[in-house]
Amino acid sequence: MSVTRAALATTATATATVAIALLTPAAAYATPVDSPLKLTLSDISHNEVARGRNVQTLTLTVTNPSDSAQEYTGLVFGIPSGPSPILGSQILFKAAPLTAPATDVTSSQEDRSALIKFFPHGGKAVNDFSVPAKGSISWKITFGFGQGYPLNDDGIRLAFDNGRGSETVDFDVPPAQADGKVTGVFGSKATVAPGKPGRTSYEIDNGAGGKFDVPLRTLVSVVDPVPGLGVEVLSNGHWVEARTAGSRQWTLPEIPKGFSQGQKYRYDLRFTVPSAPGTGKARDVGVRILTNLAEGNTTPIVDTEGTLHYDPRQAAVGTPSPSTTATASATATPSPTATTTAANTPAANAAGTGQLAETGSGDTGLLAAGLGAVLAGAGAITAAVARRRRNTAA
């Protein structure tokens, strides 16, 4: 594997109720930006590996060319190559000292990536190593893919923080997958009023390689209070109420595991308000839809925005619509389709499309709750790294 030096931008990330609680912000670990330390990755192995079998190894050397001792933070990001976010428990990472002091390792996650920290034995994860003036310390690093590493991620990038960016190395795991993204399309802007539901759609397109080996969960949020607003999903000819997930938030029925490259899932949605006329002016209301893994690292994979028009004064109009049951059940799931309708119409394209292109980050404007960790400072590393291209025919 070739080693590349990359300056990785910092980012601030916020997630809704679908987000998990991070153990510790990476900024708390980051090597100082003015550190003169130099990191070198050498003796990189080229072993054949698989999930749960065999490992790769390399030597990490931290050199201090300055005239005074310097602190080194053993911080590494494991950035997955593919659409599925990962957990620290889905990889193996060991740091065996060669000339460094005895070392402990802990792993968690930061956004869509694994977050690895190694530190002096018996200390705390926030403790640093001291690199002597004009000296160096080194470790033998062992890395492996866990049995539960996502099937549609075909590799990982290990990014070792040096305070000004990172030193990186890429490892593959078969089978190779096609490059691509998972995207979402919110349908045409609907108008909801007393006695008049507003109908639209949301469609997820799996343009990434492989298939998801866990279900996908989708959260619908609106930014402005709309008295009595509800969301319904069309299932088997009946409108069923989406489950309430929080203030102005609803979860749609899960997409079962096995959602594969080239498949699309379409939700027909209907926004409703009580039949009695309300007060105030007609207005547009922002809608945000996030899709994430239903288990494991639930950092959003798709982030889509759209608009709903609300008119509180409109009189009840229309004819009876399909019946509504109490709540959406596990059977109220749409089916994968080969084609789409709303995504290909001018109205749908104008209404709003979006994606979280394998970064796990997004704008915070429409989220009601759940602030993620903030990576602050030029030395912090983010998981927003574009995956490298692979020739899958090789």
Side-chain angles (χ1 to χ4, degrees), residues 156-176:
I156 199 168
R157 169 166 290 183
L158 299 181
F160 294 76
D161 176 37
N162 67 5
R164 300 170 303 281
S166 67
E167 296 292 340
T168 67
V169 59
D170 297 306
F171 291 122
D172 294 329
V173 62

Side-chain angles (χ1 to χ4, degrees), residues 309-330:
H309 186 71
Y310 171 57
D311 186 350
R313 301 162 298 177
Q314 185 168 336
V317 294
T319 57
S321 56
S323 60
T324 304
T325 61
T327 57
S329 65

